[in-house]
Amino acid sequence: KQEVTQIPAALSVPEGENLVLNCSFTDSAIYNLQWFRQDPGKGLTSLLLIQSSQREQTSGRLNASLDKSSGRSTLYIAASQPGDSATYLCAVRLYDMRFGAGTRLTVKP
Amino acid sequence: GAVVSQHPSWVICKSGTSVKIECRSLDFQATTMFWYRQFPKQSLMLMATSNEGSKATYEQGVEKDKFLINHASLTLSTLTVTSAHPEDSSFYICSARDRVGGGSTDTQYFGPGTRLTVL
């Protein structure tokens, strides 16, 4: 059974810092990995989708990498802003999608 | 991009009553739909997978007689929480995909979620 782990569980940084969120998964047989953002009490916002054949994806200040063989992905956020405060979830998909527990990010002004 | 809607967005009910949550794909045919549950400060846990016209496949530990899933059309799936109890209070999120079995490049779209509170 696929297990997805995210480290750290919570992170608090001052505005402007670059930061890295980590995601690991136990079964490398995946179609893709996706990073989501979830604001309190809200649904999911897709940030980046990396196909299993890809190594990384970039969107604005976000960069996600994937090392399928080692079962790891990182989400890099550059020049963090208070508006980035949210929970970040990674999910891996083969037939269905399995989620990590998330990293709660707080960016202080 | 594709849109998935859920109705209602929130519901409060008394213990012992049944609650139905609808999930609709608005601009594509969802041959496969997924239902997730999220408790406060926890991640999304897959409850069940349903293919249109077939019985849902439930994850281990999810009571199929309590959480009734109907995927009768290509644009609508419903989750009915029967005889709801306070411990069923949670955030329920549906997701839809437009291909049975899933290709490597097709996308899974998520609804905005339904907050269920059972008193």
Side-chain angles (χ1 to χ4, degrees):
Chain A
K1 180 183 174 182
Q2 180 74 270
E3 299 286 344
V4 183
T5 304
Q6 290 187 247
I7 295 173
L11 182 63
S12 181
V13 300
E15 181 177 5
E17 272 203 9
N18 303 324
L19 54 101
V20 175
L21 308 182
N22 297 290
C23 174
S24 61
F25 48 96
T26 55
D27 188 346
S28 62
I30 63 171
Y31 275 152
N32 58 50
L33 182 144
Q34 197 162 358
W35 283 92
F36 294 88
R37 168 187 173 136
Q38 186 177 33
D39 293 290
K42 302 294 185 181
L44 305 179
T45 299
S46 178
L47 298 174
L48 290 165
L49 170 69
I50 311 176
Q51 300 294 347
S52 62
S53 59
Q54 298 175 324
R55 298 284 291 183
E56 66 177 341
Q57 283 286 336
T58 298
S59 176
R61 294 183 293 109
L62 305 179
N63 175 278
S65 67
L66 173 64
D67 184 343
K68 198 176 80 163
S69 61
S70 68
R72 296 179 187 275
S73 175
T74 60
L75 177 66
Y76 175 82
I77 302 177
S80 58
Q81 303 171 358
D84 295 332
S85 298
T87 295
Y88 291 81
L89 299 168
C90 79
V92 295
R93 184 166 86 75
L94 185 56
Y95 177 65
D96 54 44
M97 190 174 283
R98 303 284 170 161
F99 285 81
T103 294
R104 292 192 303 280
L105 173 65
T106 302
V107 181
K108 299 179 180 179
Chain B
V3 177
V4 175
S5 70
Q6 282 185 239
H7 179 79
S9 56
W10 59 270
V11 57
I12 301 173
C13 69
K14 294 182 178 180
S15 183
T17 61
S18 294
V19 175
K20 180 184 285 188
I21 302 170
E22 293 185 349
C23 176
R24 295 182 183 272
S25 58
L26 298 185
D27 53 4
F28 67 99
Q29 293 184 329
T31 48
T32 303
M33 284 189 168
F34 306 86
W35 286 95
Y36 293 83
R37 179 169 54 183
Q38 185 180 34
F39 292 109
K41 297 188 177 182
Q42 296 186 27
S43 190
L44 280 74
M45 298 300 296
L46 181 65
M47 299 175 66
T49 302
S50 70
N51 291 312
E52 186 264 339
S54 303
K55 289 185 178 180
T57 301
Y58 291 80
E59 294 297 302
Q60 189 174 8
V62 178
E63 300 175 57
K64 62 180 181 180
D65 294 331
K66 181 171 184 61
F67 298 99
L68 302 180
I69 292 173
N70 186 297
H71 189 174
S73 80
L74 287 172
T75 59
L76 174 65
S77 176
T78 60
L79 168 67
T80 302
V81 183
T82 61
S83 187
H85 291 283
E87 57 265 31
D88 298 323
S89 298
S90 187
F91 193 51
Y92 292 87
I93 300 178
C94 75
S95 178
R97 202 157 69 207
D98 64 358
R99 196 172 307 179
V100 176
S104 61
T105 57
D106 63 317
T107 302
Q108 193 166 322
Y109 301 96
F110 286 81
T114 297
R115 174 77 56 194
L116 170 64
T117 302
V118 185
L119 302 177

